[in-house]
Amino acid sequence: MGSKEFSGVTGPLWCAMSPDFRLFARVYALSLAMRVLVLPTLLIAWLTVAGAATIAPSRPHNLAAADLLRKGSSPSLPIGLYRHLQRAEDTAKRDQEYALRTSTSQLHFQAGETSTRRFGPHAFKQKVSHVDGENGSKEWHQRYWFDATFYKPGGPVYLLDGGETSGEDRIPFLETGILRILAEATGGLGVILEHRYYGESFPVERLDTDSLRFLTTEESLRDSAYFAQTVVFPGLEAHNLSSSNVPWIYYGGSYAGAKSAFARKLFPEVFWGALASSAVTTAIEDFHDYYTPIMQHGPPECIAYLQNHTELIDSLLELKMPFITSRLKGAFGLGNITSDADFVNALAIPLGSWQARNWDPAVGSTRFFEFCDALTPPTNDGNLKNSTSLTASLFPSLPSDPKKALESLQGYANYVSEHVAPLCPPDATQDECFGTDEYGGDSLEEAPWKSWSYQFCTGGFISSRATVQSADSSGCL
C-alpha cells in the first residue's frame, strides 16, 4: 500500500514518519478495511485524517544520571538501569575529584573541602535494635553532621532526618537552607542524622533478607530518640544538649516528614516540636493516585495526548501480535526489551520528572515541560477544518485534530528514543537495563536502590501503576 492509500495522508507527514510508523499506518488501514481488528476510536480517527503536516522533532536535552538518581525524580526507574546510572555517576565523581586533586589551582578544591567537611561527618554509637532484646546490646556507628556556628547556651537543637538517601545529600540544608535559617534566628544548633541502611550508616554487613529485618520505620524513629537523649557533640562537651535539657525540634520532608510527625506523637517527652514537610503519614497499599496531580495540573494539551497514546499503546499490546509489538517497541527505540510490562514501564520514566520541579530553578528541573513540548505539536490553524468534519460528527470523543495527535505520538516516540533508550550503556542489553525483575545482589553497594525498595514494599509506600490513565499494562513499577 502506498502513501496515497493511507486515508489521504500524503506529503511531508508521510515522509517524516519513521519506517515503523509508516508500517503502523498500513496495518491500521488494512485492519479497518478488513474489519478484522477492533481498535480504539482514536486509532480510527488517525486513519481518516487528510492533509499534511511536518512532524516536529523533540528538543535535544539528554537525561542526566544525577537527575534520574536523585530521590523522587523517577519512582519507576528499573533496578538494572539504576545500577548502570549509579556506576556512571560514581565514575564521574571520581574523575572530578581526581581533576581537583591534580589541578594547579587549589582554590576551588579547598573551598569545596571546607564546605563539605566542616560539619562532619561524626560517628554516634547506635543500637543495632531497640526492640529486639537479643541485639539490643550490639552497636554500630551512625553518621551525623552538625553546625554550632550560631549556637547560644539554652538554644534549641534542630534535628533533620536524613531520610532515604545519604546524609551527605542533606548538607545544603545545614549550610544554606532551613537548618541554618532556624539556627541563626534562634541561637540554635543544626544537626543531620543519617538514616540507618543509607549512605554509610549500616548496622549489618550484607543486605540479604535476614539482615534487612532491622530496617523499619520504628527502629529508625527510636534511633533518633536515642540520639537526642544521649549524644554529646564534639567541642561542646561542656554543654548538656540532650533532649532532657534543651528543646529538640524534629524536621523532615516526604518520608522523613512522616517520621517527624510520628516522632512528635510517639516521643513527646523527647521532641519539643516537629516540622513535617509534605509528610506521607498514610500507608496506601496501591497508590496509583500518585500520578493524579499530573493529570490535574500538567499542561492540558500534553496530558490529553499522553492519555490517548496510553490507550493506543495498550490496545496494540493487547492484540498479542509479535509483528506489531516488535515494530511498536522499535519505534520508541526499545526494540530489544522482551517484556511488554518492562517496555511500558520505560515509557513512564519521563513522568518521574514531575516531582523534580521546584520553585527554585537552581535545584528544580524543567524536564517534565521539555517532555511535554515534545508531545505537543505546534499550532497550525485551519489546516483540517474541512477534512475532519465527518470524523468529528461520527466520533465526537476524538481529538479535534487527529493529525496533530499522530504528530504527538511521533514526538513521544522521538523523545523516548533520544532521551530514555540511550541511558542503557553499549555493553548492556536493554533487558538488563529496563528489566523490572533484575536482582542486583546483597552487598552494601546495592543499598542505594535496595534499602528504599525494601522499605516501601514493607512499609506501605507502594505505587504499582505509573499511569496517567488507569491502564494496567502501561504503568507497572
Side-chain angles (χ1 to χ4, degrees):
M1 183 181 292
S3 62
K4 292 183 179 180
E5 298 176 83
F6 175 46
S7 302
V9 177
T10 60
L13 175 59
W14 182 264
C15 295
M17 288 181 182
S18 68
D20 284 327
F21 265 78
R22 290 200 293 270
L23 177 60
F24 290 154
R26 294 189 177 101
V27 173
Y28 297 165
L30 178 62
S31 63
L32 179 64
M34 299 299 294
R35 310 287 185 181
V36 174
L37 302 178
V38 179
L39 299 176
T41 55
L42 177 60
L43 178 60
I44 300 174
W46 286 348
L47 295 174
T48 59
V49 300
T54 301
I55 293 176
S58 57
R59 301 188 325 188
H61 197 132
N62 294 331
L63 293 174
D67 290 337
L68 288 170
L69 290 172
R70 63 181 178 180
K71 189 264 169 184
S73 67
S74 192
S76 60
L77 200 63
I79 292 171
L81 181 58
Y82 185 101
R83 297 176 73 234
H84 286 298
L85 294 178
Q86 185 68 58
R87 282 197 291 268
E89 183 179 348
D90 291 344
T91 299
K93 285 182 178 179
R94 287 194 298 268
D95 291 344
Q96 184 180 29
E97 291 172 357
Y98 176 78
L100 289 171
R101 287 195 302 269
T102 58
S103 173
T104 56
S105 173
Q106 294 298 309
L107 180 60
H108 178 72
F109 175 76
Q110 291 172 351
E113 185 75 10
T114 300
S115 63
T116 58
R117 294 296 180 185
R118 64 188 179 94
F119 304 122
H122 303 279
F124 175 74
K125 289 185 178 181
Q126 185 63 266
K127 296 181 179 180
V128 170
S129 176
H130 303 272
V131 297
D132 181 351
E134 182 179 347
N135 291 280
S137 60
K138 299 178 181 179
E139 295 180 330
W140 56 285
H141 288 99
Q142 186 172 22
R143 294 199 303 177
Y144 70 96
W145 295 257
F146 76 94
D147 182 16
T149 301
F150 307 104
Y151 177 71
K152 297 178 182 178
V157 177
Y158 297 96
L159 175 66
L160 185 145
D161 189 307
E164 65 280 32
T165 187
S166 169
E168 293 179 353
D169 295 340
R170 306 306 191 192
I171 288 179
F173 290 90
L174 193 61
E175 188 173 22
T176 59
I178 190 170
L179 291 183
R180 177 190 172 95
I181 293 171
L182 292 175
E184 186 174 7
T186 61
L189 183 143
V191 186
I192 298 170
L193 182 63
E194 189 167 66
H195 196 296
R196 58 169 58 205
Y197 287 81
Y198 293 93
E200 297 181 12
S201 296
F202 293 93
V204 295
E205 296 181 354
R206 291 181 56 77
L207 296 177
D208 53 40
T209 303
D210 184 62
S211 299
L212 287 168
R213 72 186 188 276
F214 303 118
L215 178 54
T216 67
T217 302
E218 181 182 4
E219 291 281 17
S220 181
L221 282 167
R222 292 184 180 276
D223 283 345
S224 300
Y226 183 65
F227 178 84
Q229 291 170 321
T230 61
V231 67
V232 176
F233 295 101
L236 297 174
E237 291 84 357
H239 301 272
N240 181 1
L241 292 173
S242 68
S243 59
S244 62
N245 193 58
V246 299
W248 277 65
I249 300 174
Y250 208 115
Y251 177 83
S254 189
Y255 160 63
K259 285 183 59 185
S260 181
F262 296 157
R264 171 62 179 156
K265 178 70 173 180
L266 296 174
F267 307 108
E269 74 285 358
V270 177
F271 298 107
W272 183 84
L275 298 171
S277 177
S278 301
V280 286
T281 54
T282 301
I284 302 175
E285 184 176 355
D286 184 2
F287 191 34
H288 58 273
D289 279 337
Y290 182 93
Y291 288 93
T292 298
I294 304 181
M295 287 194 294
Q296 296 175 338
H297 305 293
E301 189 176 12
C302 170
I303 299 306
Y305 282 133
L306 193 54
Q307 288 176 313
N308 289 331
H309 301 337
T310 300
E311 286 188 7
L312 175 62
I313 292 169
D314 283 348
S315 298
L316 292 174
L317 293 175
E318 287 170 0
L319 294 174
K320 303 296 183 182
M321 296 179 64
F323 181 72
I324 293 178
T325 299
S326 63
R327 295 303 187 276
L328 175 64
K329 293 177 181 179
F332 283 83
L334 301 172
N336 293 319
I337 295 181
T338 304
S339 165
D340 291 350
D342 292 343
F343 167 62
V344 294
N345 190 65
L347 298 186
I349 287 177
L351 297 181
S353 58
W354 173 265
Q355 186 172 320
R357 298 170 306 119
N358 191 284
W359 62 269
D360 183 354
V363 297
S365 171
T366 61
R367 292 194 183 279
F368 181 83
F369 299 103
E370 294 164 6
F371 168 64
C372 270
D373 286 348
L375 268 66
T376 308
T379 301
N380 187 8
D381 296 334
N383 63 336
L384 279 179
K385 288 182 179 178
N386 296 325
S387 61
T388 61
S389 58
L390 177 61
T391 300
S393 63
L394 294 175
F395 306 105
S397 64
L398 296 176
S400 59
D401 192 339
K403 181 163 61 75
K404 286 182 65 177
L406 184 58
E407 276 188 73
S408 175
L409 181 60
Q410 180 73 68
Y412 189 12
N414 288 346
Y415 186 91
V416 173
S417 295
E418 296 170 11
H419 303 298
V420 176
L423 293 172
C424 190
D427 60 344
T429 68
Q430 288 189 332
D431 277 339
E432 290 173 339
C433 287
F434 298 104
T436 53
D437 59 351
E438 289 289 316
Y439 184 76
D442 298 326
S443 70
L444 296 183
E445 294 178 352
E446 308 298 331
W449 70 264
K450 193 170 187 179
S451 293
W452 181 236
S453 297
Y454 179 83
Q455 278 199 271
F456 69 64
C457 282
T458 59
F461 303 99
I462 301 174
S463 176
S464 65
R465 287 178 293 179
T467 64
V468 291
Q469 180 143 336
S470 183
D472 291 342
S473 69
S474 50
C476 179
L477 295 178

